[in-house]
């Protein structure tokens, strides 16, 4: 009686890591021995940390010019990006990563920044055509267009006003002003407040409680504006060149600001800071380049803000550990200056956008809470 051999579905030779190595670092090398030429390759299985289709996902084809800003929505399920080609693209974060929307008639000039509404299906965007637009994402139609400034609008941020449940927007422009607007589909056409800074304003961010606005300007300082008093109350110094972007930490205690000097500063914005100049960390490693691009940074969300990221003119994204100031990652992949970054609100995923007109989604190691 012949001995029955075991069925062979796929001839594969597997080299396993030594059993003495820690379980967390265990990986497999699989060498395919099938007859299919395409499968004759060395395959390395990598520990996955997110629900993305692959450790790195490229989002391309929607824009014909540089992407200037990109952001996850509050749920992390969708992505919006705006470009110098005057278009706004909408993407799914998870497979099949479809580009389900391309809004090309919202603005008549490059779209410089955008924000998802915090509680309604609206997208806010600002442009070099001096306008602020409200777009209804359920229909893809612009429902409001405000001639918000006299010059190019560089930056936009939104917040929920404390207790009132009203969404407020802050826009920063080359006309030297920061203006506050009411969000939502029933907002008025006049600004809630206007702050005159006297020089072009490059970036803007709300404090966590929605009572204070931080605005970076060409005078190399970050102006602290009190919405209730409607006046400037102080400045944050430390930069030797113009701040290019602002981002508040998830707990609202620190402010990240890259600059044209290739130096990224984290300011302590708590009411009582231990340092008199409020400089918490000075980070280097992300070159700003000579193109004077407004590079935007971001805080990690899933670990409570233990890491920060800024793109650079060296076509990489630099991720630092905040407490040690050490560079954790230098992520390549783009063919142009990395203009904007954002972290997923729930998973260790980083989104990057570049002058090459593409975006990349990448997994990183989860941070310890």
């Amino acid at each position: 009686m012949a001995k029955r051999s075991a069925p062979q579905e796929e001839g594969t030779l597997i080299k396993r890591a030594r059993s003495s190595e820690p379980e967390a670092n265990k990986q497999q090398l699989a060498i395919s021995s099938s007859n299919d030429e395409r499968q004759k390759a060395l395959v390395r299985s990598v520990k996955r940390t997110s629900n993305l289709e692959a450790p790195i996902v490229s989002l391309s084809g929607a824009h014909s010019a540089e992407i200037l800003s990109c952001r996850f929505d509050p749920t992390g399920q969708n992505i919006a990006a705006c470009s110098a080609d005057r278009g706004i693209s909408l993407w799914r974060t998870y497979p099949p990563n479809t580009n389900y929307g391309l809004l090309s008639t919202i603005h008549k000039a490059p779209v410089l920044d955008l924000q998802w509404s915090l509680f309604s299906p609206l997208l806010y965007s600002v442009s070099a055509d001096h306008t602020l637009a409200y777009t209804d994402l359920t229909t893809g139609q612009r429902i409001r267009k405000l001639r918000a400034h006299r010059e190019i609008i560089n930056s936009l941020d939104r917040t929920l006003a404390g207790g009132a449940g009203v969404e407020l927007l802050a826009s920063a422009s080359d006309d030297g002003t920061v203006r506050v607007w009411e969000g939502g589909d029933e907002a008025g056409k006049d600004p809630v407040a206007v702050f005159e800074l006297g020089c072009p304003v490059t970036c803007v961010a709300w404090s966590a409680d929605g009572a204070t606005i931080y605005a970076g300007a060409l005078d190399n300082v970050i102006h602290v504006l009190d919405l209730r008093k409607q006046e400037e109350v102080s400045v944050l110094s430390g930069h030797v060149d113009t701040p290019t972007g602002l981002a508040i930490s998830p707990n609202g205690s620190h402010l990240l600001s890259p600059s044209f000097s290739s130096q990224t500063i984290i300011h302590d914005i708590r009411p009582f800071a231990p340092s008199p100049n409020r400089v918490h960390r000075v980070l280097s490693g992300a070159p700003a380049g000579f193109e004077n691009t407004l590079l935007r940074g971001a805080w990690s969300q899933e670990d409570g803000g233990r890491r920060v990221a800024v793109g650079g003119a060296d076509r990489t994204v630099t991720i630092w550990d905040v407490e040690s100031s050490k560079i954790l990652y230098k992520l390549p992949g783009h063919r142009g200056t990395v203009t904007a970054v954002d972290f997923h609100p729930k998973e260790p995923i980083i989104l990057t956008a570049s002058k090459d007109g593409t975006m990349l989604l990448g997994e990183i190691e989860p941070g310890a809470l």
Side-chain angles (χ1 to χ4, degrees), residues 194-253:
V194 179
F195 298 92
E196 293 275 356
L197 299 189
C199 63
V201 190
T202 55
C203 47
V204 68
W206 284 98
S207 63
D209 60 4
T212 306
I213 302 168
Y214 298 93
L218 238 62
D219 54 5
N220 303 349
V221 298
I222 298 168
H223 300 260
V224 184
L225 312 172
D226 189 301
L227 181 61
R228 184 177 59 83
K229 297 178 182 177
Q230 298 212 5
E231 65 181 26
E232 182 177 321
V233 291
S234 65
V235 295
L236 299 174
S237 57
H239 283 295
V240 296
D241 209 337
T242 305
T244 61
L246 294 173
I248 300 283
S249 63
N251 63 5
S253 63

Side-chain angles (χ1 to χ4, degrees), residues 266-300:
I266 298 176
H267 283 98
D268 190 334
I269 55 174
R270 292 174 293 186
F272 302 99
S275 172
N277 64 0
R278 293 187 171 270
V279 174
H280 179 63
R281 293 286 184 271
V282 179
L283 309 173
S284 56
F290 57 85
E291 300 168 308
N292 284 0
T293 304
L294 296 181
L295 305 178
R296 308 177 197 278
W299 293 81
S300 59

Side-chain angles (χ1 to χ4, degrees), residues 103-259:
L103 311 174
S104 56
T105 60
I106 306 298
H107 292 283
K108 296 180 180 178
V111 188
L112 274 66
D113 202 2
L114 49 72
Q115 291 283 356
W116 295 86
S117 171
L118 291 168
F119 65 88
S120 60
L122 293 178
L123 188 72
Y124 307 114
S125 56
V126 293
S127 167
D129 63 8
H130 313 172
T131 63
L132 163 63
Y134 299 31
T135 303
D136 186 341
L137 294 176
T138 58
T139 63
Q141 299 297 313
R142 185 182 65 210
I143 62 170
R144 189 174 300 275
K145 182 179 180 181
L146 303 176
R147 189 155 292 280
H149 289 269
R150 300 183 303 274
E151 294 287 343
I152 291 171
I153 309 175
N154 294 309
S155 180
L156 178 71
D157 198 14
R158 83 288 193 237
T159 188
L160 282 179
V166 177
E167 195 165 35
L168 294 178
L169 312 175
S171 57
S173 168
D174 280 356
D175 65 8
T177 65
V178 173
R179 301 187 183 216
V180 180
W181 311 86
E182 192 176 330
D185 51 7
E186 297 180 358
K189 290 195 171 183
D190 295 321
V192 177
V194 179
F195 298 92
E196 293 275 356
L197 299 189
C199 63
V201 190
T202 55
C203 47
V204 68
W206 284 98
S207 63
D209 60 4
T212 306
I213 302 168
Y214 298 93
L218 238 62
D219 54 5
N220 303 349
V221 298
I222 298 168
H223 300 260
V224 184
L225 312 172
D226 189 301
L227 181 61
R228 184 177 59 83
K229 297 178 182 177
Q230 298 212 5
E231 65 181 26
E232 182 177 321
V233 291
S234 65
V235 295
L236 299 174
S237 57
H239 283 295
V240 296
D241 209 337
T242 305
T244 61
L246 294 173
I248 300 283
S249 63
N251 63 5
S253 63
H254 292 85
L255 180 69
L256 173 72
S257 58
S259 75

